[in-house]
Amino acid sequence: MLRVGLTGGIGSGKSAVAARLAERGAVLIDADAVAREVVAPGTDGLAEIVAAFSDTVLDADGALDRAALGALVFADQTARRRLESITHPRVRARTAELTAAAAPDAIVVNDVPLLVEVGLAPTYHLVIVVQTAVPTRLERLARDRGMSRAEAERRMAAQADDVRRRAVADVVLTNDGSLADLHDAVDALWVRRLLPYEDNLRERRVVPPGRIDRAGADATWPEQYARLAARIRHALGSDALRIDHIGSTAVPGLAAQDVIDVQVAVSSLADADGALADRLASAGFPRVPGQWWDDPRPAGSARWQKRLHGSADPARPVRLHVRVADSPGWRYALMMRDHLRADPDQRSAYLLLKRDLADAAPEVGESGTASDPWFDEEYLRAEQWAEQTGWRP
């Protein structure tokens, strides 16, 4: 099933987005509600909190007095970590139970205020961040919650800022307008991205790259790669010996087809099959059907075998190349990237080549460029550069 993380700062309107997604059919799991559930009266969680902090954290009815507990742990890092060691495993376990209970074709949205702070972003297929200007948030908190400006600012300061949230966001929903505007944005996201993403994920269907885009380089490609790599690393663990951003989108300033190329190094191609392929597919990167290889450099030697995966996300095409660590194909991908980064003349020559080939066969895009003789020449130039500079992958 598709797992979506939803977060946003206090007063951003995250709850309104969560409610709209639930109206559209999402299974909503509220992290705050789960956190209250696992420490409700009679639970092991509450008993362990009392054992750790005494019964002064209970109110007159025997329930958790959150204000009293907060006063104990807010300025005491050791106490806060002790509390987290009690609550976080229980919240994770209960969240897993609720997720497992959802239908196989569900879109499960986890509403997590501290998603960024606790490093949960890589565990989701997609992260949505609700962003609102600070003055608007302050106004809403005063109007809707009766919160003083000082208290509101203190709460905001205790959370991640907008820059950190945007770094993990696959989708940023700006909520500076009306509720109707926000609903329109959520509805478009649901129809155009979440529904097809869920269908592709369940069917293990890869989103094909579109035609080559020569409008210019996208400065956010490295950030997008970082989010993808974090998900891949979470899915594969130590089975991924190394993960790298390769290809044209890894070369700053180089206009390219809007497809992120990722290289995953493994011990052997046998390791790339079976469980590893399943884990990638479950994380949103299904295998591309067929047999795949790279043209050898220089030409004439045996093909360089690899496994190829793509993306199930309709808004983020990916080519994920699984190659054996230290193999010729693995080394070549890294060397060419680094040579183009270092040599502006060859970077310009490569861009002209891509444009000429795309004009000749626009339906093929960049997938048809690797057989051009220019690449054999570039291989020799890159090898000479590597020797002169002492480059190592």
Side-chain angles (χ1 to χ4, degrees):
M1 61 190 69
L2 184 69
R3 300 184 307 278
V4 177
L6 171 65
T7 194
I10 185 170
S12 64
K14 173 177 60 64
S15 296
V17 172
R20 187 62 171 181
L21 287 168
E23 289 175 5
R24 297 309 305 260
V27 174
L28 183 63
I29 300 176
D30 185 330
D32 282 343
V34 173
R36 290 191 294 271
E37 178 185 336
V38 299
V39 296
T43 62
D44 292 340
L46 182 58
E48 192 170 345
I49 288 176
V50 171
F53 299 101
S54 84
D55 59 7
T56 59
V57 299
L58 298 178
D59 63 18
D61 298 322
L64 184 64
D65 185 334
R66 294 182 177 274
L69 180 60
L72 288 176
V73 305
F74 182 76
D76 187 334
Q77 187 175 11
T78 301
R80 187 167 65 253
R81 287 178 176 172
R82 175 71 181 112
L83 176 63
E84 291 170 350
S85 72
I86 296 170
T87 59
H88 286 186
R90 289 176 167 85
V91 170
R92 286 194 295 268
R94 181 56 178 152
T95 299
E97 290 177 359
L98 294 170
T99 301
D105 62 348
I107 297 175
V108 178
V109 176
N110 289 84
D111 180 347
V112 187
L114 300 182
L115 182 150
V116 176
E117 292 82 345
V118 297
L120 290 176
T123 68
Y124 301 106
H125 295 106
L126 195 79
V127 171
I128 302 170
V129 168
V130 186
Q131 181 174 293
T132 306
V134 169
T136 304
R137 293 166 64 189
L138 291 170
E139 179 184 340
R140 288 174 181 166
L141 291 171
R143 181 193 67 212
D144 301 335
R145 305 193 195 183
M147 196 176 292
S148 70
R149 183 182 183 91
E151 175 64 11
E153 289 177 340
R154 186 185 70 82
R155 298 275 191 102
M156 289 181 187
Q159 296 182 332
D161 59 20
D162 286 342
V163 173
R164 288 181 63 195
R165 289 195 192 94
R166 283 196 300 270
V168 305
D170 301 286
V171 178
V172 175
L173 293 176
T174 302
N175 184 27
D176 293 317
S178 68
L179 183 60
D181 292 336
L182 182 64
H183 283 176
D184 287 344
V186 174
D187 292 349
L189 173 64
W190 180 263
V191 172
R192 298 173 188 171
R193 191 165 187 179
L194 299 186
L195 285 178
Y197 195 170
E198 185 283 321
D199 188 51
N200 291 339
L201 182 69
R202 181 163 33 87
E203 298 295 334
R204 299 196 169 189
R205 184 185 303 117
V206 173
V207 176
R211 288 164 56 113
I212 190 166
D213 178 8
R214 291 175 288 153
D218 186 338
T220 71
W221 280 332
E223 298 171 11
Q224 295 184 55
Y225 158 76
R227 291 193 291 271
L228 296 168
R231 288 191 177 104
I232 295 165
R233 192 173 293 110
H234 176 76
L236 299 185
S238 61
D239 287 336
L241 303 181
R242 177 169 164 173
I243 304 173
D244 289 283
H245 188 190
I246 61 169
S248 297
T249 61
V251 180
L254 184 62
Q257 188 179 25
D258 188 19
V259 182
I260 305 294
D261 281 279
V262 180
Q263 178 168 266
V264 174
V266 295
S267 297
S268 70
L269 286 183
D271 290 342
D273 301 323
L276 187 146
D278 288 339
R279 289 185 348 241
L280 280 175
S282 296
F285 305 98
R287 177 169 287 184
V288 180
Q291 298 296 315
W292 296 91
W293 55 83
D294 300 305
D295 293 325
R297 309 291 175 196
S301 55
R303 289 170 169 172
W304 296 340
Q305 299 291 327
K306 66 178 178 181
R307 303 292 184 263
L308 185 65
H309 290 246
S311 172
D313 181 356
R316 175 28 63 213
V318 171
R319 284 186 293 257
L320 195 161
H321 311 261
V322 182
R323 297 182 173 111
V324 175
D326 298 319
S327 66
W330 174 86
R331 179 181 180 277
Y332 172 69
L334 297 171
M335 182 176 66
M336 181 175 177
R337 177 201 66 186
D338 291 349
H339 182 228
L340 290 176
R341 285 175 173 177
D343 190 328
D345 290 337
Q346 292 309 315
R347 198 160 58 238
S348 298
Y350 181 36
L351 179 58
L352 290 174
L353 171 72
K354 291 199 301 178
R355 286 176 171 170
D356 289 344
L357 293 173
D359 286 341
E363 72 284 353
V364 175
E366 292 187 12
S367 62
T369 63
S371 60
D372 190 271
W374 182 88
F375 282 85
D376 287 326
E377 299 170 5
E378 165 59 15
Y379 172 78
L380 297 176
R381 286 189 294 265
E383 284 286 11
Q384 183 179 23
W385 166 82
E387 183 176 355
Q388 291 172 346
T389 61
W391 175 87
R392 295 290 183 272

